[in-house]
Amino acid sequence: MTPSAASLAEGAKAAKKSRGLPPLEKWNPPFCGDLDMQIKRDGTWFYEGTPIGRPEMVKLFSTILWREGDDYFLVTPVEKVGIQVEDAPFVAIDFQASGEGREQVLEFVTNVDDRASAGPEHPIRVVRDAETGEPSPYVLVRRNLEALIDRKSFYRLVELGDHHEGWFGLWSGGEFFRIIPSEELPKDS
């Protein structure tokens, strides 16, 4: 059987009979090949080169997304298909901060309405481009799936930053997440 978005959607709907995420870790379906589906860096999902315009369909597919190493799959109880992910599968499009300093909690919301409070189980990491030094910040959302933190949110996060043990970074959930060595920040004039 050739995998299709329709068969995956039906499988995802059947698997999502209860609230919450389907138990992907309990399923071990056979690999059925790759599907012409891609998630772009901006969080847009494409099927056969066309953006998926129905947000509820994207949310449904996101519930059956699975990562093994650098490979991404959509998994139902009866099939597993490979898809392409350009960067991270999700985008953190906003956050709320509560508390201050070490007591601060940063709760992120993604483009598919996942919520994750940064902390030990949902760490923030920042990767800097080797050539430009441009930061790409991520937060672990669920399982081993990350969200790229969008630019506007990252700028807001930087305003909440603090210095700790030679690093500039963020506190959330009792953890300090490093962004950049303090010495690399421009000196105030």
Side-chain angles (χ1 to χ4, degrees), residues 34-52:
D34 292 325
L35 190 64
D36 185 7
M37 188 175 284
Q38 183 180 38
I39 306 171
K40 295 288 192 177
R41 190 172 202 264
D42 68 359
T44 304
W45 289 56
F46 286 79
Y47 179 61
E48 295 182 342
T50 302
I52 300 174

Side-chain angles (χ1 to χ4, degrees), residues 94-154:
D94 202 3
F95 74 93
Q96 294 291 320
S98 60
E100 293 182 10
R102 292 175 189 253
E103 304 304 314
Q104 180 171 260
V105 174
L106 304 170
E107 183 185 36
F108 293 88
V109 62
T110 71
N111 59 317
V112 292
D113 292 332
D114 278 321
R115 294 186 179 277
S117 294
E121 293 182 18
H122 301 280
I124 296 170
R125 71 181 180 98
V126 178
V127 177
R128 292 174 65 189
D129 184 276
E131 293 178 21
T132 66
E134 183 78 20
S136 291
Y138 302 88
V139 61
L140 183 65
V141 176
R142 58 178 149 93
R143 297 182 178 116
N144 59 349
L145 302 173
E146 291 182 311
L148 174 66
I149 300 170
D150 72 0
R151 187 174 301 268
K152 70 174 174 26
S153 297
F154 187 59

Side-chain angles (χ1 to χ4, degrees), residues 8 21 37-38 45 53-54 62 67 70 75 83-84 87 100 103 110 133 146 150-152 160 168 170-171 177 183 185:
L8 284 165
L21 295 170
M37 188 175 284
Q38 183 180 38
W45 289 56
R54 294 177 49 207
S62 78
R67 180 178 177 190
D70 292 333
V75 178
I83 68 167
Q84 296 298 310
D87 189 351
E100 293 182 10
E103 304 304 314
T110 71
E146 291 182 311
D150 72 0
R151 187 174 301 268
K152 70 174 174 26
L160 299 174
F168 178 79
L170 297 161
W171 287 100
F177 300 103
E183 65 195 30
L185 287 174

